[in-house]
Amino acid sequence: MTAQQLRESFPAPGVLQLTLDRPDVHNAISMSLQRELDERLTRAATEDDVRVVLVAGAGDAAFSAGYDLHELAELSPDENATLAREREALLWRYLEFPKPTIAAVHGLSYGAGTLYAACSDLRVGGPASRISVTAATYGGANLTWILDTLIGAGQTRDLLMTSRAVGGAEAFRMGLLTRYAEDGDVSGVATAAAMQIAAQPPEAVRAIKSLLLTGPGSDLRSRYDRENAVARSTLRPRPIAEMFTEFFRARAGTE
């Protein structure tokens, strides 16, 4: 693993940016890069100074073009099958990463790039964004298990069965992108979103993510009861005067 394949920085307090740094191949995800991303996230999960993780791609052209096909072509069928199982586990760990994640989809996002974007909590794009789920083109299937919760059943069928690429504006309209940088400053909008999240109490944000991840498939009453149980226990309610300090301070200033 070379240091240039994954760069890290802190564009704002509490915001760890991890940049896929292979612009010469549109930030294609090699096995070593994916493992390094997983290892860095494992450490970030226990670091108090990391409240949000922002994933981006180097250069202007791409977030990620997907897995490194040149690397995969050199492997035997058995080796590819073994790697596929490892990659399934790594993607699932990314989805379950306990802290919020944001994908800055500033250019094209194909294949595994779209897998990671879809498994992020927020996705930010702009006019240059171009997103596709390409699995059907080679006889595969991806994101059938989560995409419909993001954009609805009808639009999921459209994207998965055609593998068509959608531009940033259309992706935002359908909910595939959660924020849209009209001026093209995807990095700026993504960082601003990360700062908004980082400003919230971290235990509350983590609880929200956990509740949302475990909710689908449960009946409404179960989800309601679980939220209330978490609010009473994990979040340990503080005294009202402490929880709403700013409100009472503002009220006092107007009286």
Side-chain angles (χ1 to χ4, degrees):
M1 174 70 198
T2 61
Q4 289 71 35
Q5 285 194 300
L6 184 70
R7 289 189 286 110
E8 68 174 79
S9 58
F10 281 87
V15 181
L16 169 63
Q17 178 169 324
L18 298 177
T19 302
L20 312 178
D21 195 5
R22 304 186 72 205
D24 55 320
V25 289
H26 285 170
N27 302 315
I29 301 173
S30 64
M31 196 65 240
S32 58
L33 173 55
Q34 191 172 15
R35 288 169 178 156
E36 180 68 11
L37 177 63
D38 179 71
E39 291 168 4
R40 185 62 187 93
L41 289 172
T42 298
R43 298 197 306 273
T46 60
E47 294 172 344
D48 292 339
D49 61 336
V50 176
R51 294 194 172 191
V52 185
V53 173
L54 172 60
V55 181
D60 297 327
F63 172 64
S64 174
Y67 290 134
D68 189 332
L69 298 182
H70 293 289
E71 177 185 71
L72 296 179
E74 296 177 356
L75 303 177
S76 69
D78 286 344
E79 289 172 326
N80 270 310
T82 299
L83 282 183
R85 287 189 290 272
E86 181 180 353
R87 282 185 145 141
E88 290 169 6
L90 294 178
L91 182 65
W92 187 259
R93 285 210 291 271
Y94 179 80
L95 176 78
E96 289 195 316
F97 178 69
K99 299 179 181 181
T101 54
I102 299 175
V105 188
H106 56 281
L108 67 83
S109 177
Y110 294 164
T114 302
L115 299 187
Y116 273 89
C119 290
S120 300
D121 295 301
L122 275 68
R123 291 159 299 284
V124 182
S129 300
R130 191 166 177 79
I131 306 172
S132 176
V133 184
T134 55
T137 63
Y138 54 83
N142 282 146
L143 297 180
T144 61
W145 54 280
I146 193 173
L147 191 60
D148 57 346
T149 67
L150 303 179
I151 64 174
Q155 294 185 126
T156 293
R157 285 170 170 77
D158 183 347
L159 295 192
L160 298 190
M161 292 179 179
T162 66
S163 291
R164 72 183 182 90
V166 294
E170 182 180 3
F172 181 60
R173 287 195 300 271
M174 66 172 57
L176 188 54
L177 292 175
T178 51
R179 297 201 183 190
Y180 186 68
E182 292 187 6
D183 61 357
D185 185 12
V186 173
S187 178
V189 172
T191 300
M195 291 172 64
Q196 288 179 323
I197 295 174
Q200 310 307 314
E203 65 276 8
V205 175
R206 293 181 67 158
I208 289 168
K209 178 166 183 174
S210 176
L211 288 165
L212 289 171
L213 283 176
T214 58
S218 302
D219 65 86
L220 198 60
R221 182 61 198 228
S222 295
R223 297 181 71 176
Y224 176 69
D225 289 342
R226 185 165 186 269
E227 179 185 280
N228 288 330
V230 169
R232 291 192 304 269
S233 57
T234 305
L235 300 184
R236 301 183 189 88
R238 294 167 289 159
I240 293 295
E242 181 182 338
M243 293 173 65
F244 296 95
T245 300
E246 293 301 322
F247 170 80
F248 287 113
R249 182 180 294 124
R251 290 279 295 182
T254 62
E255 294 177 356

